[in-house]
Amino acid sequence: MEKTLSIVKPDGVQKHLIGEVIKRFEENGLKVVGLKMIYMDKKEAEGFYAVHRGKPFFESLTTFMSSGPAVVMVLEGKEAISKTRELMGATDPKQAKEGTLRRQYATNIERNIVHGSDAHETAAFEIKYFFNSLEMFEY
Ligand code: CMP
């Protein structure tokens, strides 16, 4: 079984999509094994998105991610990383497939309501960024 990290971003929380996002994941065989609401400050958002430091969207992205509460969760399942990404759809909602979360609910490429780790190494880093072993459960 694989684990991945997902975030209902501040725009997703403002749009009351916490339940919708979790429902979509659960209905598609992903198990929520860790879950919490957080409010990142700018430094925490910069640390989380450190791989994007230097990119043109870094400043705006980290300001947005620290603009309100978000919900972080650890998802577990068979091919959890790729399954989560498939359910979210492409980063840019204009490119996202019909029926995906971002196609349905995202405003634009930045305010795209949900995040999911893109590879094994990033999933390991991102899970550890928000969760310790006592905050994840087997059931
Ligand atoms: P996410 O999957 O959280 O990973 C990085 C985030 O940067 C991405 O979703 C978007 O919210 C944001 N972003 C803004 N502009 C771009 C861009 N041009 N390319 C990729 N990501 C972008």
Side-chain angles (χ1 to χ4, degrees):
M1 285 295 162
E2 191 171 78
K3 283 191 178 71
T4 190
L5 182 98
S6 180
I7 307 178
V8 183
K9 296 184 179 187
D11 60 329
V13 171
Q14 294 297 334
K15 289 178 173 178
H16 301 170
L17 292 170
I18 300 168
E20 180 62 30
V21 171
I22 294 176
K23 178 167 171 264
R24 198 71 64 89
F25 291 150
E26 288 192 321
E27 278 177 352
N28 286 278
L30 293 160
K31 196 197 279 189
V32 178
V33 297
L35 180 72
K36 60 177 130 177
M37 185 174 262
I38 58 158
Y39 195 146
M40 278 188 265
D41 64 23
K42 187 82 159 66
K43 286 265 166 298
E44 287 164 342
E46 287 172 1
F48 181 75
Y49 280 119
V51 290
H52 295 299
R53 194 178 282 280
K55 293 190 184 156
F57 57 84
F58 183 74
E59 176 57 31
S60 173
L61 171 65
T62 51
T63 297
F64 160 57
M65 290 300 287
S66 55
S67 69
V71 170
V72 286
M73 68 191 93
V74 180
L75 300 168
E76 185 183 82
K78 195 163 171 281
E79 295 179 6
I81 296 170
S82 59
K83 191 176 276 182
T84 299
R85 293 179 67 76
E86 195 183 308
L87 294 168
M88 293 190 306
T91 308
D92 182 352
K94 292 200 271 318
Q95 315 286 333
K97 283 193 194 139
E98 209 59 62
T100 60
L101 286 163
R102 284 168 169 165
R103 177 64 177 256
Q104 275 183 276
Y105 300 115
T107 304
N108 55 42
I109 195 167
E110 178 177 278
R111 292 173 182 261
N112 61 0
I113 78 137
V114 66
H115 166 84
S117 313
D118 65 0
H120 286 111
E121 308 75 60
T122 36
F125 168 80
E126 292 179 359
I127 290 168
K128 229 171 136 193
Y129 200 77
F130 293 117
F131 292 87
N132 65 42
S133 59
L134 295 173
E135 297 169 320
M136 290 183 276
F137 306 94
E138 280 178 30
Y139 63 95

